[in-house]
Each structure stands twice: as C-alpha cells, then as structure tokens.
Amino acid sequence: MEKEGGHCMVTGNLAYKLQTKEVEIPNPLAPDPLKYTSVGLSEVLSNNTRLEASAFNLDAKAAKYKVEHCRYGYVHLWGEDGLVKEASYPGRFKRIYTEKGKGIPFYLPSQLGEINPRPTKYISESTYKSIQGIEIKPNAFLLSRSGTIGKCSISSRTTIGKVYSDDVIRVFFNSSYDLGYVYAFFCTPIGQQLLQNNNYGAVIQHIEPEHLKNIIIPDAPYLIKKKIHDLVMESYDLRDQSNELMDEAERILYQELNLPPIEDLKPKYFDEHVDLRNYTAKLSRLDLRLDCSYHTPENATILDIIQNNAKEVKRIGDKDISEKIILAGRFKRTYVDDKNGIPFFGGKQLLELSPSNIKYLSKDQHGSRITKELYLKENMVAVTCSGTIGKVNIIPKHWENWALNQHVMRIVPATKDIAGYIYCWLNTDYAYQLIVRNTYGAVVDEIDDRHLSQVEIPLLKNESKQKEINDKVLQANELRYRAYLKEKEAVEMMEEVINGLY
C-alpha cells in the first residue's frame, strides 16, 4: 500500500496493474514506413518517360542533394574541370582457359574487394598475346562495371601487373591525390548511391566510363583531399606488407615440407595404358568413405608427401591443434539497424578487409545463438563449408564480436602459438585439396565440422621454422587491422566533408 494525499492506495492487486500503460513491443517483421515524393514532369521526360517508382530512388536523390549542397561545392567526377583524366576498360576478348601452370593467372571483378586475391582461372598464352597491355597499371582506380557493380579498389603492389577481366574499369586522375580521395568517396553510402543509380535514382545494371561524367563529388580543398588520399594509400601499403608476410610464411612452409607446386604432382594410376582414370585405395585410408573423389591419386600423393617430410601429421580436430570447431545451425534471421544489432556477413565477404553489404543481426532475437555459435574472436580461422568450399581466412582484430553466418565454420586454435600456422597450412593448395575431397551434396556442395576436424595438418621437424611461420601470419593479421583503421579514418573524414562537418 502507498499513501497519496492522506489516502491509501492498493498497488499490489491485479486490477491496479491492468490500469498501467503497456509498453508497445516493435514488430521486427513490420514493413518499412512508406516513402513518397513528388516528381517533376521534366524529370519524367528526361528519364525516358518512366513512371515506376523504382526509377526515382529517394535515397539516391537525397544523396545527390547532399553533395550539391556541400559547403565546398561540388564538381563532376569526369568532364571540364573534373578529377578524372582517363577512364576505360579493355574490349571484350575471347578467353581460352587452361590449367594452372600452363597459363596466365586471371582475376575476376568480384575479387576487387579481396585483400590478397588469388587467381581462380588461367588463360592460355595464345590468348594473352592478343591482349597484352591490359595488365593493371600503377595509380589506377579499379571499378567493377557489371555483375556486382560498384566494387572498387586501388592498384597496389599486390595487383599491379595482374590481368583482370574486361568488366573492370581502369580510372586515372589528373592529380595524384585525387586517387585516394575518390576511393574514400565511393566507400561511403552516399558515393555508392550515386554510383549505382542514374541521375534520377533508377538502379543501373552496368556502369560505363561515361557514367562517371554524371557523378558529382565534393570539391574539397587540396589539403583535405591530400590528407584523405594519404590515409588511403597508407592503408594499401599496410595491406601489401601484410600480403608479403603471408606469402613469405607460405614459402617457408613449402620449403620445410619440400612441397613442389601442386600442378607438378604426378599421381600414379593403377593402369596408365587405358584411357580411363583408375586407381586403388588403401584400406587404412578408407575412412568409411566409398566415394571415388575422396580417394583420388592426387589426394594420396599429397598425403604421402606430407607424411614423408613432416615431423608428424595430425588432424585439425586434435586437441593440440584446436580447442573446438564451430558449425552454426541454420536459423531464421531478424535484421535490425546498426545501433541495435551486430555486424553479420557471410562467405562471399570472407576475404575482404572491410566486408561489404554488412547486415545487422538482432541481439534480442538471437542473443543466445550469437554468444554460442556466431561470435568471432581474433585469430580464429574461418573456413567456408557450403557453396564455395575451402575459402580460408584468419579473423582480424576489427572483426572481434562480429558474426559470420552458418555457411562458414570457425576453428578455435588450441593456443595463439598454433593459430597462424593453422591458417598458413589451410590456405595452401595442398590443404585445399584435402578439404574439398570431403564434399558431399547433389546440388549444393557441403562439408561439416566432422569433415574439417579430419583434415590432416603436418607439423614441422624444425620447430623454430614453424614458430616463424606462425609469428609472420599473426604479424600480418595485425597489419591488416592497422590498414582497416587507416581506411576507416579516411572514410569517416570523407563523410564529414559530405556533411559539412570538416
């Protein structure tokens, strides 16, 4: 009971409680609020008399308005007094694909966001001779023009001289400091909106170099442009240093295990005189698997080499190697805004420094699952297990407490002293073969945590070399974190320029 003005109130009964105002719980499945605007007749006529709402995207129009009213004014990206000197892409060319070791490494536009891209295809020498000169050149801004449009990157030591698809636009600028400045602009939501929509907001399916003439960008003073540019270039230099350390670690691993390039392996078949691949499988290596792809001579040769050259061969699931392997269960996802959720992404973004198209998973709806299965910690090793199998990355510091979806498994290393070595081995061509041989599924390829736990990992006879490999990978991972911070600072500064705060 409570006293109020000399009278007694009964507050503990049900009738009183029912009088209290109920707190409304927001429905996560409710539709987004209705968006509406007016469109001038001139806009309709200029936009090919299109009348559908999607042709006049409000977010894109708002982005353009914000740049138009920037405190520094604006300039068209390409044109009179613009920033771009030249923008083009190679003409379409016939591609003759061949095997690794017999052709030129060939990269796809979807790999532009990867921190250390590796070729997935190889084109023949005869094709390459007809397209010489299309290699990536220094100081180029690279932009994907079809498929997933708007992916961007800067040529660096990692990519200069590499052959990319004709679906990548090469952009060069009048001033060197415009390179990092424009890159930072296209890393902002405003820049992406202007890039992926035409003047009236309609989503475009392909970007042509001429499209850059319609894009406006804040015309910030020289010192601001240069500061943003320098931050971006420092970020890319740190990425290159990281990649060089990773490559050096892998080189030492190959040297210590006497591993030849995998394309040089010469597997032995049971009868090489018939025009049919035929082979036997040892009972000791059967592993209760009766599918032929598990027992190919290539896999047998790999196992023989590592067993002959390693101190001992263990399995990833061994307690000396990993504490546990986490495979998240499938679940229906509830997404929220960035203030009420945690960053959530999947295997497609696994090899990127700063994952694109991040969504935010509801903490309230998935709190228990996030804690048990989805949280990421620095130096975990992530391996894709569905769709594209065998992509590997080591979790950098800035992904701490983010979440990966159920299509990526996480290896929790037994100690920090083995974490870098696990990644280095699983990232080799040899380990990739041992991972994908476990594939099952008629339509969508899959592996699970049991399969990954059985993948072999060779430990080196020279323990100091194994430690050196581990330390180089961890040092490289730290450099990636620093690279992320530099880029983040540049993008935040660019957003302040757009919003008139800098």
Side-chain angles (χ1 to χ4, degrees):
M1 298 179 67
E2 297 179 2
K3 290 186 177 181
E4 182 177 335
H7 300 282
C8 293
M9 295 179 61
V10 180
T11 60
N13 62 57
L14 180 62
Y16 176 78
K17 290 182 177 180
L18 291 174
Q19 296 178 24
T20 60
K21 186 176 180 181
E22 294 184 0
V23 178
E24 183 178 354
I25 300 175
N27 180 5
L29 301 179
D32 294 332
L34 181 66
K35 296 181 180 180
Y36 58 91
T37 187
S38 60
V39 178
L41 179 61
S42 60
E43 290 184 84
V44 176
L45 295 175
S46 300
N47 200 12
N48 298 320
T49 64
R50 296 177 64 180
L51 298 177
E52 67 271 28
S54 62
F56 303 92
N57 185 288
L58 292 183
D59 294 332
K61 294 182 71 174
K64 185 177 180 182
Y65 179 86
K66 182 165 285 191
V67 175
E68 286 176 334
H69 293 81
C70 170
R71 65 182 293 185
Y72 299 115
Y74 67 90
V75 62
H76 280 83
L77 193 60
W78 192 13
E80 187 176 352
D81 299 325
L83 309 183
V84 173
K85 177 181 180 181
E86 176 189 348
S88 62
Y89 59 88
R92 292 190 176 276
F93 53 88
K94 185 177 181 181
R95 306 167 193 172
I96 302 175
Y97 294 114
T98 185
E99 299 175 3
K100 183 178 181 180
K102 297 182 180 179
I104 306 298
F106 187 70
Y107 298 81
L108 303 176
S110 59
Q111 296 181 273
L112 280 182
E114 295 180 5
I115 188 170
N116 191 12
R118 294 192 172 193
T120 57
K121 296 184 178 181
Y122 296 82
I123 55 175
S124 71
E125 294 277 0
S126 58
T127 300
Y128 178 65
K129 289 179 181 178
S130 65
I131 57 171
Q132 282 186 355
I134 72 165
E135 302 89 347
I136 299 300
K137 296 179 173 57
N139 302 316
F141 174 67
L142 309 174
L143 185 65
S144 61
R145 70 181 188 90
S146 64
T148 304
I149 64 172
K151 279 186 175 290
C152 57
S153 182
I154 290 176
S155 61
S156 65
R157 296 194 300 274
T158 299
T159 54
I160 290 172
K162 304 290 176 60
V163 177
Y164 272 79
S165 159
D166 54 280
D167 286 324
V168 174
I169 298 176
R170 286 80 161 163
V171 183
F172 298 90
F173 297 92
N174 292 312
S175 300
S176 59
Y177 53 80
D178 286 331
L179 175 59
Y181 180 72
V182 172
Y183 172 84
F185 177 70
F186 283 131
C187 286
T188 66
I190 294 290
Q192 281 293 307
Q193 283 283 357
L194 294 181
L195 183 61
Q196 297 184 28
N197 296 269
N198 67 17
N199 281 349
Y200 309 100
V203 177
I204 56 179
Q205 304 301 320
H206 298 274
I207 294 177
E208 294 294 329
E210 290 72 22
H211 180 65
L212 301 179
K213 296 179 180 179
N214 297 325
I215 297 177
I216 57 176
I217 184 172
D219 191 19
Y222 161 75
L223 290 179
I224 294 178
K225 288 183 178 179
K226 188 176 185 304
K227 187 171 183 180
I228 293 175
H229 166 79
D230 289 344
L231 285 169
V232 171
M233 299 313 292
E234 287 174 27
S235 173
Y236 269 85
D237 181 61
L238 289 168
R239 299 180 210 204
D240 286 334
Q241 292 180 44
S242 168
N243 294 339
E244 288 159 4
L245 281 171
M246 293 285 195
D247 292 343
E248 176 63 14
E250 187 170 307
R251 186 194 66 77
I252 295 172
L253 178 64
Y254 269 65
Q255 186 177 52
E256 290 299 309
L257 290 173
N258 295 316
L259 300 178
I262 198 164
E263 60 271 17
D264 292 345
L265 292 184
K266 300 187 184 307
K268 296 180 180 180
Y269 292 94
F270 180 70
D271 186 352
E272 298 183 353
H273 297 92
V274 297
D275 189 19
L276 177 69
R277 290 206 308 166
N278 56 93
Y279 45 89
T280 60
K282 293 181 179 180
L283 184 61
S284 59
R285 290 181 177 175
L286 199 58
D287 294 335
L288 300 179
R289 295 291 294 259
L290 300 179
D291 41 334
C292 295
S293 59
Y294 187 85
H295 302 287
T296 62
E298 290 83 359
N299 292 331
T301 302
I302 289 172
L303 291 174
D304 287 338
I305 290 177
I306 63 175
Q307 286 175 346
N308 291 335
N309 294 287
K311 176 183 177 181
E312 63 177 319
V313 176
K314 293 195 173 185
R315 310 264 182 164
I316 294 296
D318 190 291
K319 291 304 179 183
D320 292 334
I321 305 299
S322 66
E323 179 183 322
K324 58 183 174 180
I325 299 174
I326 302 171
L327 173 59
R330 298 181 183 274
F331 62 99
K332 186 175 181 180
R333 307 162 188 170
T334 300
Y335 297 120
V336 294
D337 58 42
D338 58 349
K339 296 180 181 179
N340 298 303
I342 65 166
F344 182 72
F345 62 103
K348 287 185 178 180
Q349 298 92 8
L350 185 63
L351 303 183
E352 299 177 5
L353 177 69
S354 181
S356 56
N357 299 320
I358 283 183
K359 297 180 180 179
Y360 293 86
L361 200 62
S362 170
K363 296 178 183 178
D364 294 335
Q365 297 293 320
H366 307 295
S368 176
R369 183 181 292 273
I370 289 170
T371 302
K372 293 179 181 178
E373 299 179 346
L374 302 178
Y375 261 149
L376 298 177
K377 297 299 179 184
E378 184 180 9
N379 296 329
M380 279 183 174
V381 178
V383 182
T384 56
C385 58
S386 179
T388 302
I389 293 174
K391 288 166 63 174
V392 181
N393 202 1
I394 185 167
I395 303 302
K397 187 175 182 179
H398 56 281
W399 289 4
E400 281 252 345
N401 297 325
W402 290 15
L404 273 167
N405 66 24
Q406 72 273 15
H407 300 298
V408 186
M409 289 185 285
R410 302 101 168 127
I411 300 172
V412 181
T415 67
K416 189 177 179 181
D417 296 331
I418 196 70
Y421 186 77
I422 293 173
Y423 166 78
C424 189
W425 167 248
L426 291 183
N427 197 46
T428 64
D429 292 333
Y430 281 80
Y432 174 77
Q433 295 297 328
L434 299 179
I435 293 172
V436 299
R437 71 173 179 154
N438 291 285
T439 300
Y440 68 93
V443 178
V444 178
D445 289 341
E446 303 270 357
I447 61 171
D448 59 31
D449 50 336
R450 294 170 302 165
H451 298 133
L452 186 58
S453 69
Q454 294 302 306
V455 171
E456 293 81 359
I457 178 170
L459 302 182
L460 302 186
K461 297 175 182 177
N462 189 332
E463 293 182 1
S464 64
K465 286 294 182 181
Q466 183 170 309
K467 182 179 185 303
E468 182 181 357
I469 291 170
N470 186 76
D471 292 346
K472 283 184 180 294
V473 171
L474 297 186
Q475 183 184 352
N477 206 25
E478 173 64 24
L479 289 175
R480 291 182 176 182
Y481 171 61
R482 289 168 53 191
Y484 167 80
L485 293 180
K486 291 289 185 182
E487 181 174 299
K488 182 182 179 184
E489 184 180 353
V491 173
E492 288 176 348
M493 190 178 298
M494 187 72 237
E495 289 177 332
E496 291 178 352
V497 169
I498 294 172
N499 294 316
L501 302 175
Y502 188 86

